[in-house]
Amino acid sequence: MIFSIVIYSAPYTTQSASTALHFSKTLIGEGHKIYRLFFYSDGVHNASSLTIAPQDEKSLQAEWDTLIKVNKLDSVVCVSSALKRGVLSNEEAQRQGLTGHSLRDSSEISGLGQFIDAYIHSDRVISFG
Amino acid sequence: MIFSIVIYSAPYTTQSASTALHFSKTLIGEGHKIYRLFFYSDGVHNASSLTIAPQDEKSLQAEWDTLIKVNKLDSVVCVSSALKRGVLSNEEAQRQGLTGHSLRDSSEISGLGQFIDAYIHSDRVISFG
Amino acid sequence: MTTLHTISKGPSSKLLESCLSIARENDALLFIEDGVYYSSELASESSIPKHQLLFTLEEDIIARGLQHSILNKFETINYRKFVELCTFHEKVINWF
Amino acid sequence: MTTLHTISKGPSSKLLESCLSIARENDALLFIEDGVYYSSELASESSIPKHQLLFTLEEDIIARGLQHSILNKFETINYRKFVELCTFHEKVINWF
Amino acid sequence: MTKPKKMFTFISRQAPYGKDRARLCLDAALAATVFEQKVNYVFSDDGVYQLLKQQNGGSIGSKTLGSALEALDLYGIEDVFVNEASLRQRNLNSEHLLIKTIPVTNIQLANLILKSDYVINL
Amino acid sequence: MTKPKKMFTFISRQAPYGKDRARLCLDAALAATVFEQKVNYVFSDDGVYQLLKQQNGGSIGSKTLGSALEALDLYGIEDVFVNEASLRQRNLNSEHLLIKTIPVTNIQLANLILKSDYVINL
C-alpha cells in the first residue's frame, strides 16, 4: 500500500516524532511504499542539520536523514513553518544574508500543496502530533 | 524587585513565549530589575538567529534580542536543550564542523546551574510554559 | 504569606483541579492564555474555586472575544496588575 | 467500512471522550504513546469504550512499565500489527 | 473528462491563540481548495471557541483567527459545520458565532466522516 | 559562617516519555544539589507514573526515566514525596514504586509549599 506520513512535532520535546520514525521504518520493512514525509509546524525541526545529539542518545534527525536517503523518500518541510522556525535551505539563508543553512539536503522546502497532494496520492496518511 | 524569567516553549507553536515577552517588557516598564532570562527545553528557539518572520507578523526572536540589548539583560539558553535542538553558538558550530551558528549574540549558552542561580538571586522567578 | 497561582490552559486540561488540590484558601489565582476560558460563562464543566481571589488577564480575554462573558467572581486585570500581583504575593507558582 | 482511531494522550486529556463522541461501534481504537495509560488498570477516571475493538502498543507499554496491568479488553500489539491495522481499516484518524 | 473529486473533511478541535493548531488546520483546508476537491470544515470541542465574535488577536500581538475564518467562504468552502454538543457544553448558540455554520449532531458527524475520503483532525 | 540554606521544592506532575517535562524537572533538581540547598522532590498527578517499576525506555529508543530517578538518592535528595491522592486515583500503592518515597496528603503538600522558598512546578 502507499502511505504518507505527516509529522507535527519536534524531536525530544514530545515522543511523537520518534513514534513516526519507528512507524515509517516498520512500513518500509513490511514492504509498503511511502509517497511522502511531510513535516508541518514544529515537525520541521526533524529536518534540521545543526543539531548535536547527546553522546548517549540517538539523533532523531540523523535517523530520518538515513531513512530518507536509503529509501529515496520524498521528504518535504512546510515552507511557512520552516522559515519562522529557522529551518532554512542554503538558497534561503543566502537570500536573507543569514549565517548558514540549517535544512538537511535530504528534505526540500515546499508549500501546503504538497500536504494535500500527499493525501490524494496515498492510500493512507498517518499523522503524528 | 528582582525578577528572573524562565521560558519553556518555542515561539509560534504556543502562546507562552509571547506572554513571557509581554510580561518581561511590563516588568521593565514598571521599574523592576530582571536578573536573568533562562530559556529551557523548546524555549531555546527564542534565541535562534536564523528565523525569518512572515511579512505581516512580528519576529518574537528579534523582539527578545532588542529587549535584551537595550536593557543589557543576562540571557542564558540551556546548553543541553540547545545543542539537541540546533541552537548553536559560533564556537560550538565550528567545533562540530557545522554550516553555521544559530544563536543570537545577545544570549549565551550555559548549564542548569544558571537556572538554580537565578532562583537564588531573584525575589521572584516567573515561568512560562 | 500567600501564593499567586497562574493557570494557563483551559478547562479541557485538568490544570485547575491540580492547582486547587494544593492551593490554600487565601491564595490568589490568575488565569492567563487559554486559562481565561475558565473565567468565562462560555466554559464547559469548569468548577469555579470557592475561596481564592480570582483574576483574569484582559489582553487574553480581548484576543479571544470573551469580554462580555466574564463571570462576576473574576477581576479583569492587565499586565501591569499581573506584575503587581507577583510582587504582592510572597510566592508565585506557574501552572502550565 | 471501518475506521482505525489512534489515541496518543493519556486520561488527563479529554482525547478519548472526543474520539468516542464520533467513533462508530465497529471502529477500532489503538492507544499509543501516553495513550497506553488508558489500557492499564492503573489509569485514573478512564471509562473504557464498550463497543469498539481495543488495541494498545506494546513498545509504549514496556517503556512505561505497564506490562502487568493491561486490562483484558485490550489486545497488545507491536508496530507491525499497527501497520497492518492501518491497511485493514479503510480510514485512519489520528487523535493527538 | 475530469477525475472524480475526493472529499476532504477537516476537524478543528482546538481553541485559537493558545496553540497554533487552529491556524494549521485552516491553512491546510485553504490549500485543499486549490486542488478543486470537495472540502468540509468542522468545528468541534474547544474548536468552537474559534467562532466567537469580537476577537482581537492584536491585543496579544497575534493575527485574529476569527477574521481569517472568513477566508473559508472566500475560498469556496461552503460546508462549514459546528458540533452542536460542543456549542451546548459551552453555553453557546448561533448568535455568538462569527460566520455561518451548519449545526450537526455527533451522529451526523460520524456519517460525514464515513462519507469522507480524507479526514484531517487537529 | 555560611549563608542559610534556601529550600527548593520540585513538583513533577507529568507522565514520563510522552513529553520531556519529567526529565527537565529531574535535571533541574539535580542541578540544585550542587548549590548545597535544601531540595524536596514531589511526584504528583500523572507524575506518579514515573515511579512505576520495570520501565524500559529502550523499547522506544529513550533513556529509562525510572533508572534516572535513582540519582535523586545519589545526589543526596532524601526528601522525596508522593501525593497519596494521586497514587490512589491510579490504583497504585507503595509496592508498585521503584524508589522510596514519603506519601503525603494535599494538606501536607500545601504546607511543604508554604515552607519552601522556591517552587518549580513542571
Side-chain angles (χ1 to χ4, degrees):
Chain A
M1 248 187 197
I2 301 172
F3 284 76
S4 284
I5 308 292
V6 183
I7 298 101
Y8 291 86
S9 297
Y12 308 117
T13 314
T14 69
Q15 193 195 337
S16 310
S18 166
T19 307
L21 177 68
H22 200 147
F23 184 83
S24 301
K25 286 181 182 175
T26 309
L27 272 185
I28 291 170
E30 296 291 294
H32 296 290
K33 297 270 171 266
I34 295 181
Y35 176 75
R36 179 169 296 143
L37 304 175
F38 190 89
F39 296 96
Y40 197 12
S41 186
D42 269 354
V44 300
H45 290 299
N46 287 281
S48 169
S49 60
L50 295 179
T51 58
I52 301 167
Q55 297 207 321
D56 48 351
E57 283 181 50
K58 290 193 218 171
S59 163
L60 225 55
Q61 291 89 348
E63 290 199 52
W64 280 119
D65 194 56
T66 303
L67 187 78
I68 294 164
K69 286 178 173 162
V70 166
N71 299 286
K72 300 187 172 58
L73 302 181
D74 183 35
S75 174
V76 173
V77 302
C78 169
V79 58
S80 60
S81 302
L83 294 191
K84 62 184 172 187
R85 287 175 177 81
V87 176
L88 306 180
S89 62
N90 206 357
E91 301 74 45
E92 198 60 44
Q94 284 180 357
R95 190 179 317 152
Q96 303 282 341
L98 290 167
T99 53
H101 62 91
S102 47
L103 176 71
R104 287 176 183 263
D105 61 7
S106 52
S107 292
E108 62 175 328
I109 289 193
S110 191
L112 277 169
Q114 302 295 308
F115 173 90
I116 301 299
D117 174 84
Y119 278 87
I120 294 173
H121 290 95
S122 305
D123 297 308
R124 301 285 185 277
V125 178
I126 316 294
S127 304
F128 296 90
Chain B
M1 249 186 196
I2 300 171
F3 283 77
S4 284
I5 308 293
V6 183
I7 298 100
Y8 290 87
S9 295
Y12 309 116
T13 315
T14 70
Q15 193 195 337
S16 310
S18 167
T19 308
L21 177 68
H22 200 149
F23 184 84
S24 301
K25 286 179 179 173
T26 309
L27 271 185
I28 290 168
E30 297 290 295
H32 296 290
K33 296 271 171 268
I34 295 180
Y35 177 74
R36 179 167 297 144
L37 303 174
F38 190 89
F39 295 97
Y40 197 12
S41 186
D42 270 353
V44 300
H45 290 300
N46 286 280
S48 169
S49 61
L50 296 180
T51 59
I52 301 167
Q55 297 206 323
D56 49 350
E57 283 181 50
K58 290 193 217 171
S59 163
L60 226 56
Q61 291 89 349
E63 291 200 50
W64 280 119
D65 194 55
T66 303
L67 187 79
I68 294 164
K69 285 178 174 161
V70 167
N71 299 285
K72 298 188 173 56
L73 302 181
D74 184 35
S75 174
V76 174
V77 302
C78 170
V79 58
S80 61
S81 302
L83 295 191
K84 63 184 172 187
R85 287 176 176 81
V87 177
L88 305 181
S89 62
N90 206 357
E91 301 75 44
E92 197 63 43
Q94 285 182 354
R95 192 180 314 152
Q96 303 282 340
L98 290 166
T99 53
H101 62 92
S102 47
L103 176 71
R104 286 176 184 265
D105 61 7
S106 52
S107 292
E108 62 175 328
I109 289 193
S110 191
L112 278 169
Q114 302 294 308
F115 173 91
I116 301 299
D117 174 85
Y119 278 86
I120 294 173
H121 290 96
S122 306
D123 297 309
R124 302 284 185 276
V125 177
I126 315 295
S127 303
F128 296 90
Chain C
M1 183 81 173
T2 56
T3 298
L4 172 69
H5 301 266
T6 68
I7 316 262
S8 61
K9 283 188 189 146
S12 61
S13 73
K14 299 251 167 79
L15 217 46
L16 179 59
E17 289 87 330
S18 292
C19 170
L20 289 177
S21 72
I22 56 175
R24 297 162 67 90
E25 290 197 3
N26 49 356
D27 286 349
L29 271 53
L30 166 60
F31 295 82
I32 64 171
E33 301 179 359
D34 281 348
V36 298
Y37 289 110
Y38 275 116
S39 64
S40 166
E41 62 190 24
L42 307 179
S44 71
E45 306 170 45
S46 65
S47 50
I48 305 308
K50 284 194 183 61
H51 304 291
Q52 291 85 358
L53 282 174
L54 303 176
F55 301 94
T56 182
L57 192 61
E58 184 169 32
E59 283 83 348
D60 283 318
I61 287 167
I62 292 171
R64 291 165 180 79
L66 299 173
Q67 49 271 43
H68 300 304
S69 68
I70 301 300
L71 296 160
N72 280 332
K73 278 208 64 179
F74 290 79
E75 182 182 341
T76 301
I77 65 167
N78 61 15
Y79 269 88
R80 288 176 62 182
K81 189 73 193 291
F82 180 1
V83 167
E84 193 186 312
L85 285 176
C86 291
T87 64
F88 179 79
H89 295 277
E90 287 83 354
K91 209 171 292 169
V92 181
I93 302 183
N94 306 107
W95 298 81
F96 50 81
Chain D
M1 183 83 173
T2 55
T3 297
L4 172 69
H5 301 265
T6 68
I7 317 261
S8 61
K9 283 188 188 147
S12 61
S13 74
K14 300 251 167 79
L15 217 45
L16 180 59
E17 289 87 331
S18 293
C19 170
L20 289 178
S21 72
I22 56 176
R24 296 165 66 91
E25 290 198 3
N26 49 355
D27 285 349
L29 272 53
L30 167 60
F31 295 82
I32 64 171
E33 301 179 359
D34 281 348
V36 298
Y37 289 110
Y38 275 115
S39 64
S40 166
E41 62 190 24
L42 307 178
S44 70
E45 306 170 44
S46 64
S47 53
I48 303 309
K50 285 194 183 62
H51 304 291
Q52 290 83 359
L53 280 174
L54 303 175
F55 300 94
T56 182
L57 192 60
E58 182 169 34
E59 284 82 348
D60 283 318
I61 287 166
I62 292 171
R64 291 163 176 80
L66 299 173
Q67 48 273 45
H68 300 305
S69 68
I70 300 302
L71 296 161
N72 281 333
K73 277 206 65 179
F74 291 80
E75 182 183 342
T76 301
I77 65 166
N78 61 17
Y79 269 87
R80 287 177 62 180
K81 189 73 192 289
F82 180 0
V83 167
E84 193 185 311
L85 285 176
C86 292
T87 63
F88 179 78
H89 295 277
E90 286 82 354
K91 208 171 294 168
V92 181
I93 302 183
N94 305 108
W95 298 80
F96 50 80
Chain E
M1 244 190 68
T2 53
K3 263 209 287 188
K5 285 190 186 185
K6 296 284 191 169
M7 185 185 280
F8 279 81
T9 295
F10 292 84
I11 308 176
S12 191
R13 295 183 295 109
Q14 303 279 349
Y17 306 110
K19 292 188 269 191
D20 70 343
R21 293 283 157 101
R23 183 81 220 187
L24 299 178
C25 193
L26 177 63
D27 289 347
L30 300 182
T33 63
V34 178
F35 288 75
E36 300 191 354
Q37 308 288 314
K38 175 85 188 78
V39 178
N40 302 307
Y41 207 84
V42 180
F43 295 94
S44 187
D45 300 306
D46 281 349
V48 300
Y49 286 132
Q50 298 173 39
L51 293 163
L52 285 178
K53 287 177 180 168
Q54 295 185 290
Q55 292 172 49
N56 180 2
S59 77
I60 54 169
S62 177
K63 287 198 277 193
T64 301
L65 189 81
S67 316
L69 292 179
E70 291 168 6
L72 287 168
D73 189 42
L74 292 172
Y75 280 64
I77 301 177
E78 288 165 2
D79 290 315
V80 180
F81 303 96
V82 61
N83 183 332
E84 62 174 26
S86 303
L87 284 181
R88 206 167 43 236
Q89 284 156 9
R90 289 162 186 79
N91 305 313
L92 286 164
N93 59 55
S94 57
E95 284 178 25
H96 292 96
L97 308 187
L98 192 66
I99 59 170
K100 226 184 101 192
T101 54
I102 304 156
V104 283
T105 64
N106 283 331
I107 292 167
Q108 289 173 311
L109 271 181
N111 283 327
L112 183 70
I113 289 169
L114 193 66
K115 283 193 305 181
S116 304
D117 296 290
Y118 315 115
V119 178
I120 289 98
N121 181 33
L122 277 173
Chain F
M1 242 189 71
T2 53
K3 267 210 284 188
K5 285 189 185 183
K6 296 282 191 173
M7 184 185 281
F8 279 81
T9 296
F10 293 84
I11 308 177
S12 191
R13 296 183 294 108
Q14 303 279 351
Y17 307 110
K19 292 189 268 191
D20 69 343
R21 293 282 157 100
R23 183 80 219 188
L24 298 178
C25 193
L26 178 62
D27 288 347
L30 300 182
T33 63
V34 178
F35 288 75
E36 299 191 355
Q37 309 288 315
K38 176 83 187 80
V39 178
N40 302 309
Y41 207 85
V42 180
F43 295 94
S44 187
D45 300 307
D46 280 350
V48 301
Y49 285 133
Q50 298 173 39
L51 293 162
L52 284 179
K53 289 178 180 168
Q54 296 183 290
Q55 290 171 51
N56 181 2
S59 78
I60 53 169
S62 176
K63 286 199 278 191
T64 300
L65 188 82
S67 315
L69 292 178
E70 291 168 6
L72 288 169
D73 189 44
L74 292 172
Y75 280 64
I77 301 176
E78 288 166 1
D79 290 314
V80 180
F81 302 97
V82 61
N83 183 332
E84 63 175 24
S86 303
L87 283 182
R88 207 169 40 238
Q89 283 155 9
R90 290 163 186 79
N91 305 314
L92 286 164
N93 60 53
S94 57
E95 283 177 27
H96 292 96
L97 308 186
L98 194 67
I99 58 170
K100 226 182 104 193
T101 53
I102 304 156
V104 283
T105 63
N106 283 331
I107 293 168
Q108 289 173 312
L109 271 181
N111 283 326
L112 182 69
I113 288 168
L114 193 67
K115 283 193 305 181
S116 304
D117 296 288
Y118 316 115
V119 177
I120 289 97
N121 181 32
L122 276 172

